[in-house]
Amino acid sequence: MIYIFAIVSIIGIAIVLLFFLLMMVLNIRMLGSIRGNGVRINEKQFPDVYERVVKMSNQMGLKDVPDVFVIQSEGILNAFATRFWGRNMVVLYSEIFDLGREEGKEELDFIIAHELSHVKRRHVWKSILIAPAQFIPFLSQAYSRSCEYTCDREAAYTINDVGAAKRALTILSVGKQVYREVNEDAFVEQIQNESHGAVWISEILSTHPNLPKRVQSVSLFMENAQRPVYKENAGKVAVGVTILGAVLMAAYLAFIGGLILVGTSLGAIFAGLFVDEFDEFGQSSDWAFGESPEEFEGSYDEYDFYNDYEMTDLMIAIYEEDLQAVTELINQDVDLEEQDLYGDTAIMYAVESFDQDILEEVLIAGADPNVLDSYETTPLITAIYSGFYDGAILLLDYGADPAYRDIDGDTAYSLMDVSTEEDLYEALLDE
């Protein structure tokens, strides 16, 4: 389906070509290093091993003998088949190749024959062709495991030595020193004894079957003798997978929750950087866009908060909490009920200042304690909303109406959860 999409889509063709180009570049880089630094086996280099490679290649019907290289493996036991510019290659890690020097000639033959079988069955080229299967969970790994079973069987058939085949596979599990001491029956029995969800998940995500299964598969294919066939305990696997699934789901949800929390926090930070904020004077703060607080100083003439809000001199004095200026302006008989741009009078400024002395000075001068602002709210309700309870008591003393109902339906009584003026006084004193 992916290839069909690529054929009918220009973008799809470009993606497929880019994918294959990337694979080719990575492959050339790796294999170029192997051919440049590895030791190539031929008539002059390890001729005894080369002779066996030629013999097994002819036995399998290969048209050309693949190039075989040995590379330093730093203790890793491995081998693989690949292609380089149309030439088939088999790469042996040095730890595996050492078997041929340490009385493990038959085991080494099995490993070489296994890789030659990959070449014969064109598994490398097929893997490239079915590369889109990588996008389907577990599918490409399942195909790869099937290829490994096939090559194990063909290699055992080619060398005609099932014992060497099983020992070679055991080497991959325990190493090349003690593999002859491993009890084959006990090893294969692990298929059943080690039935766990973790083991099952590990295998289905792997390109190779578990080694006890490979040993059992070769044995059943090559030997006529009746042997016990071990299988995984489906019940244990199901329970294990269920538990692991629950743990992984919990971890996933926690991870998603963490991402959301981090994203929200970062969003709040960036919002704080780029939202046009206002400082305590109501002036636009553009510091996030380059202006520093120092650059902003002295620019109040440009952003005249007092004039913009049409504040009177008395309002300015109250806002600045200058009791002496408030007293002097009141003595000059200023209009206590003059409103600013938003309908607030001096008494509302006094309530919002939380300064009881200034509020009392304004009330003594005769300011209306029941005046309404643009939100149809009285100074008393504003004081209670703001938590200025001493100011609320002072307003009541000067005739504020506790029964007035604002646009939200609240009164001073309802806000303090009382029903009488006496109870209201007590509630405010308690606060």
Side-chain angles (χ1 to χ4, degrees), residues 161 194 322 422:
D161 189 337
E194 298 300 326
D322 189 344
E422 182 179 354

Side-chain angles (χ1 to χ4, degrees), residues 128-202:
I128 296 174
L129 287 178
I130 64 170
Q134 297 285 347
F135 297 105
I136 303 176
F138 314 119
L139 180 59
S140 63
Q141 294 92 334
Y143 172 73
S144 178
R145 291 195 300 273
S146 295
C147 292
E148 295 303 318
Y149 280 126
T150 296
C151 293
D152 284 346
R153 294 172 178 181
E154 185 158 21
Y157 178 81
T158 299
I159 68 171
N160 195 28
D161 189 337
V162 65
K166 292 188 288 187
R167 290 194 300 270
L169 291 169
T170 305
I171 288 168
L172 299 177
S173 176
V174 76
K176 64 180 184 178
Q177 300 299 326
V178 298
Y179 70 97
R180 293 183 183 274
E181 300 176 29
V182 172
N183 184 305
E184 178 191 334
D185 292 334
F187 186 46
V188 174
E189 194 175 350
Q190 288 180 201
I191 297 171
Q192 180 174 305
N193 295 340
E194 298 300 326
S195 293
H196 302 290
V199 174
W200 183 80
I201 289 176
S202 173

Side-chain angles (χ1 to χ4, degrees), residues 28 85 108 141 143 168 195 206 209 217 231 270 309 354 391 395:
I28 289 174
W85 292 117
L108 177 60
Q141 294 92 334
Y143 172 73
S195 293
S206 175
S217 174
K231 297 182 179 180
F270 282 110
Y309 278 69
F354 277 64
L395 286 163

Side-chain angles (χ1 to χ4, degrees), residues 264-276:
T264 303
S265 301
L266 290 176
I269 292 172
F270 282 110
L273 290 174
F274 294 103
V275 169
D276 194 23

Side-chain angles (χ1 to χ4, degrees), residues 83-128:
R83 286 178 65 84
F84 180 82
W85 292 117
R87 290 285 300 173
N88 292 312
M89 286 177 59
V90 170
V91 180
L92 304 173
Y93 282 28
S94 56
E95 286 292 304
I96 289 290
F97 186 71
D98 284 347
L99 285 173
R101 315 286 91 178
E102 299 174 5
E103 300 181 357
K105 180 175 73 67
E106 292 80 7
E107 288 85 345
L108 177 60
D109 284 351
F110 171 82
I111 293 170
I112 294 174
H114 178 100
E115 302 307 329
L116 292 176
S117 179
H118 279 304
V119 173
K120 174 185 177 181
R121 295 182 176 272
R122 305 173 187 264
H123 286 160
V124 175
W125 179 238
K126 290 177 183 177
S127 296
I128 296 174

Side-chain angles (χ1 to χ4, degrees), residues 272-335:
L273 290 174
F274 294 103
V275 169
D276 194 23
E277 299 176 338
F278 289 87
D279 63 12
E280 62 177 341
F281 293 101
Q283 294 163 331
S284 175
S285 174
D286 292 327
W287 299 347
F289 296 93
E291 283 189 295
S292 66
E294 292 76 17
E295 292 172 313
F296 222 103
E297 286 180 19
S299 62
Y300 294 141
D301 290 337
E302 183 178 355
Y303 300 93
D304 193 338
F305 169 65
Y306 301 139
N307 286 336
D308 288 345
Y309 278 69
E310 299 180 5
M311 294 169 61
T312 66
D313 290 340
L314 179 58
M315 294 173 185
I316 294 172
I318 295 172
Y319 185 88
E320 294 180 348
E321 299 180 3
D322 189 344
L323 179 59
Q324 182 178 350
V326 170
T327 303
E328 291 175 358
L329 288 166
I330 288 175
N331 290 336
Q332 295 173 17
D333 294 326
V334 296
D335 185 359

